[in-house]
Amino acid sequence: MKVLVIGGGGREHAIAWRLSQSPRVTKLFCAPGNPGTAVIAGNVALAADDVEGLLAFAQKERIDFTVVGPEIPLVKGVVDLFAKNGLKIFGPTQSAARLEGSKVFMKEMLVKAGIPTAHYQAFDDAASAISHLDTAEFPLVIKADGLAAGKGVLVTHDKAEAREFINAAMGKKVFGASGDAIIIEQFLPGEEASYIVVADGTDFVPLASAQDHKRVFDGDKGPNTGGMGAYSPAPVVTKEVDEKIRRKVIAPLLKTMREEGCPFTGFLYAGIMVSNGEPYVLEFNVRLGDPEAQPLMFRYHGDLLAVLEAAVAGNVTSVTPQWKNDAAVCVVIASGGYPGEFEKGFIIEGLDVAAENVMVFHAGTKREAGNTITAGGRVLGVTAGGATIEEATRRAYARAAVIKFERMFYRKDIAHRAINRK
Ligand code: AMP
Ligand code: GLY
């Protein structure tokens, strides 16, 4: 089978790498891919959001199956477009992708489905949002409605800061149209987890749990990023919590989406806050997480294509995901300055050092004049497996220590919650 992966980050390298080991994948493409995917797939010079270009490519190459990595093509309707043209594609339709494309829509679905989540109010003008602050209880959380690459959320104790954020989002439009509406919600204390399932519109099979590290510095300090590291499984998702997430979150959401006329097929990612043993939904994403995909794909055992195909065929529960390596850890190596401004173009050394049970997934890299150079904020995701989270963490850090480029940095405490829990 000819398979196309849409995207070019660390998540897509991990997906493509796992698919490349599927016995039925005879030819693999990645659009646009990166120097990591170039080793296992044919990179196609098309942007991930060029949905018309991707369709033309898939038709010309007679692609049998397409897997979508990032949210933007999904929100733009790439699945509808491919399906309308008779092409098999794994991911949610445009109307189902509103779960990530609009936090107001997501909250409405949560309320309809009776899923535990923070109390909230939605606003479409700055003045009423700001006057709401007078009576609101702090800390509180303010979220831009639309996509904002992880930057559209403020958690604050401070009224002046809250006001400033509302003005920036709704007045100055720093997130563009994504800030036309906002929600203000209750702060939930607890520990976060990423719970990702493969859904077929009606039913689902869960992947293993994972935990991301969103803040840029050790000890969860500094601004939010796309994610500085992740590990799987997340011990905060105990057997009981896992059962509650399936029963109280995923099942009712899929049922409600179906009733609303937008059944969900694809990777469904629930951002969960576990508060006193109860799961609350912070957000839904309509794709695999990045960097959660790296440890998840690293641990996935068997034919990934089989479960994705079963989902598109509407019988996902016919496949049971298998896992190898009891734990996996991904440490993201980033460019100095990220998530603010950073320089690109530094030569990366230490990529070709062999190490057991480790993969270095590429994210923001580029090939130039025979070198691999930095080309983004998150550059590499060093991912390792092990029998324990400690072993996987040690292995990932040992491999990361061999990689060198100017102004690089990474968090030294990935997986600390899992390790300190013991
Ligand atoms: P979101 O994009 O909605 O997941 O928000 C980004 C991050 O903000 C989350 O990963 C949490 O760390 C934090 N956050 C969002 N909503 C809440 C909430 N209601 N209570 C506490 N923290 C939150
Ligand atoms: N790692 C968080 C996300 O992919 O949204």
Side-chain angles (χ1 to χ4, degrees), residues 103 106-107 117-119 140-143 150-155 185-190 192 212 214-215 224 269 271 273 281-285:
K103 293 206 188 264
M106 171 199 71
K107 281 291 202 180
T117 186
H119 295 298
L140 50 70
V141 186
I142 310 180
K143 301 181 179 184
K151 300 198 175 85
V153 176
L154 175 75
V155 180
E185 71 178 32
Q186 168 200 19
F187 174 83
L188 296 170
E192 282 179 66
D212 186 13
K214 289 206 167 110
R215 303 294 198 95
N224 265 338
Y269 167 138
M273 185 69 86
V281 172
L282 297 181
E283 62 167 348
F284 282 113
N285 294 319

Side-chain angles (χ1 to χ4, degrees), residues 11 212 214 226-227 269 283 285 287-292 378:
R11 165 183 48 212
D212 186 13
K214 289 206 167 110
Y269 167 138
E283 62 167 348
N285 294 319
R287 51 174 173 79
L288 275 179
D290 189 346
E292 290 94 326
R378 293 190 292 172

Side-chain angles (χ1 to χ4, degrees), residues 270-325:
I272 299 283
M273 185 69 86
V274 182
S275 218
N276 297 318
E278 288 297 319
Y280 293 81
V281 172
L282 297 181
E283 62 167 348
F284 282 113
N285 294 319
V286 299
R287 51 174 173 79
L288 275 179
D290 189 346
E292 290 94 326
Q294 288 82 321
L296 287 176
M297 291 297 105
F298 195 88
R299 290 187 61 210
Y300 196 91
H301 183 60
D303 187 356
L304 178 66
L305 184 63
V307 71
L308 307 185
E309 276 190 294
V312 172
N315 59 358
V316 73
T317 52
S318 65
V319 179
T320 308
Q322 308 281 322
W323 302 95
K324 63 177 174 183
N325 285 305

Side-chain angles (χ1 to χ4, degrees), residues 8-13 34-35 69-71 100 149-151 211-216 223-230 269 285 287-295 330-344 348 360-366 373-382 405 407-411 414:
R11 165 183 48 212
E12 289 76 22
H13 186 190
N34 63 38
E71 62 276 19
E100 178 164 359
K151 300 198 175 85
Q211 192 174 70
D212 186 13
H213 299 63
K214 289 206 167 110
R215 303 294 198 95
V216 68
N224 265 338
T225 68
M228 292 299 295
Y269 167 138
N285 294 319
R287 51 174 173 79
L288 275 179
D290 189 346
E292 290 94 326
Q294 288 82 321
C330 169
V331 175
V332 170
I333 305 187
S335 296
Y338 173 79
E341 282 185 24
F342 55 85
E343 282 177 72
K344 302 178 194 174
I348 306 169
V360 178
F361 292 116
H362 288 237
T365 69
K366 203 163 96 175
I373 62 172
T374 64
R378 293 190 292 172
V379 177
L380 299 164
V382 180
F405 60 86
R407 301 201 56 210
M408 68 176 249
F409 77 99
Y410 52 87
R411 276 182 64 160
I414 301 303

